[in-house]
Amino acid sequence: MKKLLLSAAILFGSLGAFAQGGLGYGLRAGVNIPKYSTEIDQTKSNTGFFVTGYLDAPISPYFSIQPGLSLQNKGTKWKPTDDQREAKESIMTLDIPVNAVAKFPTTSGNFFVGAGPYVGFGLSGKYKGEDNQSKFENDIKFGSEAGNDLKRTDFGVNFLAGYQLSNGFQINAGYGLGLTNLSPNGGSIKNRVWSIGIGFGL
């Protein structure tokens, strides 16, 4: 975790020096609609949230690099089975995205689209549900060994688009495509996250 934050700090500092005073800042927050992609269709969308702080390092008036730190609420809902009713898995992660963003100016602001990789680090998680006998709630165990629930580190690609007004207010939408198999017990579990939110950029 400390290495992850140190790497982010070095990246932010390097981009700040590169931008030579043209560095911008921003904050985005909103609703996540996550689910897991699995080998068999056992999941459906959950509801969560995200809060993202980012830097905007301009390469030109129409293009910039945006690294960020993002608190993400991910997870899924598991569909009912014969011996269990619907269950909910809620995961908190700290993601570090680095997006390449193109900007298209208009008279009142600019449209923007972007994409880039992210690395995510699982912080905590809960698994809640109800079987035929009782309700239950368990903490998610992170690790790569068999017997754990999820691997802690995720890697993927995210996409974003939106519109920012001249005063800095913006609306945005995004999609996170997890590429890491998070299952330590065989099979396949990968993150899929839609998001929509608002933000402000300087």
Side-chain angles (χ1 to χ4, degrees), residues 55-119:
L55 302 181
D56 185 89
I59 307 300
S60 77
Y62 309 106
F63 185 79
S64 65
I65 303 297
Q66 292 184 353
L69 286 176
S70 185
L71 185 65
Q72 295 272 344
N73 184 197
K74 303 180 182 181
T76 198
K77 286 182 179 178
W78 296 96
K79 294 180 180 179
T81 62
D82 292 339
D83 58 355
Q84 180 177 293
R85 300 178 185 177
E86 184 177 271
K88 177 181 178 180
E89 196 165 314
S90 180
I91 309 295
M92 294 303 304
T93 72
L94 179 66
D95 290 5
I96 301 178
V98 181
N99 293 310
V101 179
K103 302 176 182 180
F104 305 93
T106 68
T107 55
S108 58
N110 64 78
F111 288 100
F112 61 87
V113 295
Y118 76 85
V119 59

Side-chain angles (χ1 to χ4, degrees), residues 18-61:
F18 175 76
Q20 297 180 347
L23 193 66
Y25 305 85
L27 181 70
R28 298 185 180 113
V31 176
N32 276 347
I33 306 173
K35 67 174 294 185
Y36 292 152
S37 173
T38 64
E39 292 176 322
I40 54 178
D41 186 22
Q42 291 182 321
T43 66
K44 62 181 185 178
S45 297
N46 197 3
T47 303
F49 69 91
F50 73 93
V51 179
T52 303
Y54 66 92
L55 302 181
D56 185 89
I59 307 300
S60 77

